Amino acid sequence: MKSARTEYLRPARAEDVPALLALRTEAEGWLRTKGTDQWSDPETGERAISKWRASIDEGRAWVVVNEQDTVLATVSRGPVDRDFWTDTDRPESALYLYKLMVAREASGRHLGTRVIDWMSRLAALEGRSWVRIDTWRTNTGLHAYYERLGFKHVRTEAPAHRLSGWLAQRPAGEVALPHDLLPVGPDDERRDHAGRLVEVPHQKG
């Protein structure tokens, strides 16, 4: 008999910052083993901490945790990046996904896919048309990963001061693993006043 999954999403908290930074450091090392120069100029120290805290304070950062509240993955949403997306792209029509990272110990649980599915459902709930990403221009393996999950390459931008710029989007509401959706919060924290499970909460735009 298949055991029930115990991972769930919750908003990131200030006390999660050390775990988030450790997740970033682990991701940097793993990327180097894959032959990509992504995050070869990592933000460290106070600047990185201040950016995480800002995302948390604004309600934009989320984490996937287990029953012991160990951080297994993280994702953030953010404003449109004007280095890449223009008025012609109708920026307001999309939710912008950033900082998706999964701990190596959680590899094989499809957490990345399940987090993207949650963001896709959230985008649809908000009446948006797309989930959009920008990734490191040279990381072709990551491009292929997103394309396997239904993202379509829109174009590649290459501003001189940025190393990201591979732009892609997926229709809001589209899910890759409809039978393996991530819940939000433990059972006692994710029911509405009528006792019904709340799978996708509203967030700040």
Side-chain angles (χ1 to χ4, degrees), residues 3-201:
S3 60
R5 289 189 180 275
T6 57
E7 305 98 356
Y8 61 89
L9 277 151
R10 65 163 172 78
R13 305 166 182 154
E15 56 266 32
D16 294 321
V17 169
L20 293 173
L21 291 175
L23 200 59
R24 164 84 184 226
T25 299
E26 181 186 59
E28 291 164 9
W30 181 74
L31 286 166
R32 283 194 293 272
T33 71
K34 297 298 179 181
T36 175
D37 64 348
Q38 181 163 340
W39 292 348
S40 57
D41 58 344
E43 295 174 327
T44 57
E46 290 303 318
R47 184 182 178 195
I49 291 172
S50 66
K51 290 186 74 172
W52 280 118
R53 290 193 185 282
S55 293
I56 291 168
D57 290 345
E58 293 167 5
R60 298 182 183 278
W62 289 74
V63 291
V64 178
V65 297
N66 60 17
E67 287 184 318
Q68 289 73 46
D69 208 40
T70 301
V71 174
L72 302 176
T74 185
V75 69
S76 295
R77 66 178 300 172
V80 57
D81 192 326
R82 286 297 192 165
D83 281 344
F84 304 134
W85 303 98
T86 69
D87 288 343
T88 304
D89 298 310
R90 295 183 58 242
E92 73 285 352
S93 69
L95 182 153
Y96 296 86
L97 185 155
Y98 299 103
K99 291 188 175 69
L100 175 61
M101 288 177 269
V102 178
R104 290 298 91 208
E105 70 174 272
S107 179
R109 302 186 201 179
H110 306 292
L111 286 185
T113 303
R114 296 163 71 201
V115 167
I116 293 168
D117 281 352
W118 176 72
M119 294 289 273
S120 180
R121 294 159 59 220
L122 178 59
L125 184 68
E126 294 180 347
R128 303 181 192 273
S129 300
W130 306 101
V131 174
R132 285 177 176 161
I133 57 171
D134 66 83
T135 73
W136 211 259
R137 295 193 294 270
T138 59
N139 194 341
T140 56
L142 187 58
H143 304 167
Y145 168 78
Y146 279 115
E147 287 176 329
R148 287 195 298 272
L149 294 180
F151 283 83
K152 303 296 184 185
H153 180 220
V154 176
R155 63 180 178 275
T156 299
E157 299 284 353
H161 62 295
R162 301 291 297 274
L163 293 170
S164 190
W166 187 86
L167 310 182
Q169 62 187 18
R170 191 175 89 171
E174 186 174 292
V175 294
L177 296 173
H179 303 297
D180 201 4
L181 301 175
L182 274 170
V184 177
D187 285 345
D188 59 348
E189 293 180 4
R190 59 186 172 95
R191 294 183 182 272
D192 64 14
H193 65 279
R196 294 168 298 197
L197 288 177
V198 178
E199 296 290 352
V200 184

